[in-house]
């Protein structure tokens, strides 16, 4: 792998261009993108790689003489969670948030764009959550936050649905491709034999709340969402599974005041009371270390 990327590169690289830059086969580039190990985005179904983020990613994985690590921005990246969003505000921890999906957040975290990342990525091979996705991270810890109940969210006046197999022909509110929700839905729908082209996809929702709002406004018949958000809007909920939502935290930032304030708040009674009010959460593993790079 070359240690630097030419400054004259286009703003976005194709799979072939990145493979040439890294001197890898294109198949390996697809594998890196699928695992979230390399920064990428999708446009019209095509993988694109932001050149600026690729340069940062290469620098992050370089060895040798350095002037020392660049301080990470005090930003919480990754997947949107209503309870975590509330905790960031209530704790007055001072972290900004940029929620645009689990895999997007991991890619940005690896590029040094934030101090922490929320994620819920299921690994069908290990039948576990998040551990395989964060394996590329260095000097980081994976901390438990919550288990969340996820399933189908429907309008009370909408179609009668009890399983994924019943969704064919319905309007579905999807999440962005690099979200943990979209990844999980692809896995479950494939296992259930549900062809995604049998669904009518509405506008992409970039947060858990936006997806459920589409159903509440009857712009979509169904979405794959969280019980807690369905309850907020008085919608019908068909539970399918419990998922693990964790926080990937930079080791140095872990001991800084913003992250410490958030973690202390998460171990207090206020978060548990709020989780009970919202419903759909289990905080049994909150603030426990699951993995230590």
């Amino acid at each position: 792998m070359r240690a630097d990327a030419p400054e004259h590169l286009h703003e976005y690289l194709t799979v072939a261009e990145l493979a040439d830059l890294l001197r890898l086969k294109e198949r390996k580039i697809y594998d890196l993108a699928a695992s979230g190990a390399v920064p990428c985005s999708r446009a019209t179904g095509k993988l694109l790689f932001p050149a600026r983020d690729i340069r940062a990613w290469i620098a992050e994985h370089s060895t040798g003489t350095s002037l020392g690590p660049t301080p990470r921005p005090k930003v919480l990246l990754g997947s949107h969670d209503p309870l975590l969003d509330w905790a960031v505000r209530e704790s007055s921890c001072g972290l900004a948030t940029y929620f645009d999906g689990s895999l997007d957040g991991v890619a940005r975290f690896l590029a040094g764009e934030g101090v922490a990342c929320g994620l819920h990525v299921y690994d069908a091979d290990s039948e576990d959550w998040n551990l395989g996705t964060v394996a590329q991270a260095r000097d980081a810890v994976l901390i438990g936050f919550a288990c969340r109940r996820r399933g189908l969210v429907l309008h009370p006046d909408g179609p009668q649905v009890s399983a994924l197999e019943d969704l064919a022909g319905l309007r579905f509110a999807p999440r962005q491709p690099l979200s943990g929700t979209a990844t999980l839905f692809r896995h479950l729908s494939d296992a259930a034999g549900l062809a995604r082209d049998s669904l009518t996809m509405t506008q992409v929702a970039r947060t858990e709340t936006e997806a459920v709002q589409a159903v509440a406004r009857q712009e979509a018949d169904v979405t794959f969402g969280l019980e807690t958000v369905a309850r907020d809007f008085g919608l019908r909920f068909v539970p399918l599974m419990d998922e693990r939502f964790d926080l990937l935290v930079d080791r140095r930032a872990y001991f800084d005041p913003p992250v410490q304030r958030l973690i202390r708040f998460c171990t207090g009674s206020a978060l548990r009371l709020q989780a009970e009010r919202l419903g759909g959460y289990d905080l049994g593993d909150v603030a426990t270390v699951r993995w230590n790079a």
Side-chain angles (χ1 to χ4, degrees):
M1 180 186 298
R2 290 183 238 174
D4 60 337
E7 292 298 327
H8 64 271
L9 288 172
H10 296 139
E11 183 178 357
Y12 288 91
L13 305 178
T14 64
V15 170
E17 288 170 338
L18 183 58
D20 179 65
L21 173 67
L22 301 181
R23 298 178 181 175
L24 297 172
K25 294 184 181 298
E26 291 188 15
R27 180 67 262 171
K28 180 61 176 177
I29 301 301
Y30 283 110
D31 291 342
L32 289 170
S35 69
V38 64
C40 70
S41 62
R42 295 174 187 269
T44 63
K46 183 178 180 180
L47 279 175
L48 295 173
F49 303 88
R52 177 179 61 84
D53 294 343
I54 290 297
R55 287 194 292 271
W57 178 76
I58 292 174
E60 176 76 12
H61 291 77
S62 298
T63 60
T65 304
S66 172
L67 297 177
T70 301
R72 289 173 174 260
K74 294 180 175 60
V75 178
L76 174 57
L77 305 161
S79 180
H80 171 251
D81 176 78
L83 183 61
L84 177 62
D85 200 3
W86 177 86
V88 169
R89 296 192 305 272
E90 289 295 312
S91 66
S92 299
C93 64
L95 292 176
T97 58
Y98 183 84
F99 298 136
D100 201 21
S102 295
L103 297 179
D104 175 86
V106 171
R108 292 179 183 276
F109 180 89
L110 293 176
E113 295 183 20
V115 296
C117 169
L119 68 157
H120 60 112
V121 182
Y122 181 68
D123 182 356
D125 293 332
S126 65
E127 297 185 347
D128 204 348
W129 296 87
N130 304 324
L131 295 176
T133 304
V134 304
Q136 299 294 323
R138 297 187 302 168
D139 296 323
V141 293
L142 188 68
I143 299 172
F145 180 73
C147 285
R148 315 186 297 185
R149 192 164 300 116
R150 183 174 292 279
L152 303 176
V153 180
L154 304 112
H155 197 278
D157 300 329
Q160 294 301 307
V161 169
S162 59
L164 283 169
E165 294 88 334
D166 302 330
L167 299 188
L170 299 185
R171 297 173 302 161
F172 183 83
R175 296 291 308 283
Q176 64 270 44
L178 294 181
S179 69
T181 302
T183 302
L184 180 59
F185 183 75
R186 287 193 294 270
H187 167 71
L188 293 180
S189 59
D190 287 345
L194 174 68
R196 283 183 291 280
D197 60 8
S198 70
L199 301 171
T200 299
M201 298 296 181
T202 65
Q203 183 175 340
V204 171
R206 307 201 77 85
T207 69
E208 298 290 352
T209 302
E210 287 180 15
V212 173
Q213 282 176 327
V215 177
R217 292 192 296 263
Q218 295 188 284
E219 297 170 354
D221 299 312
V222 60
T223 193
F224 186 49
L226 295 176
E227 179 184 16
T228 182
V229 187
R231 288 169 54 136
D232 284 345
F233 288 87
L235 300 178
R236 190 154 51 93
F237 180 75
V238 178
L240 294 181
M241 68 186 313
D242 289 341
E243 64 177 18
R244 180 183 287 277
F245 187 97
D246 295 323
L247 295 174
L248 179 64
V249 183
D250 176 70
R251 190 191 305 278
R252 286 178 290 271
Y254 179 90
F255 297 100
D256 290 342
V259 175
Q260 280 295 299
R261 277 197 291 269
L262 178 61
I263 292 175
R264 282 197 301 270
F265 183 84
C266 289
T267 59
S269 60
L271 187 75
R272 295 186 180 277
L273 290 173
Q274 180 70 356
E276 291 174 6
R277 283 193 291 266
L278 294 178
Y281 286 101
D282 180 348
L283 300 185
D285 292 331
V286 66
T288 61
V289 176
R290 298 194 62 222
W291 174 82
N292 195 337

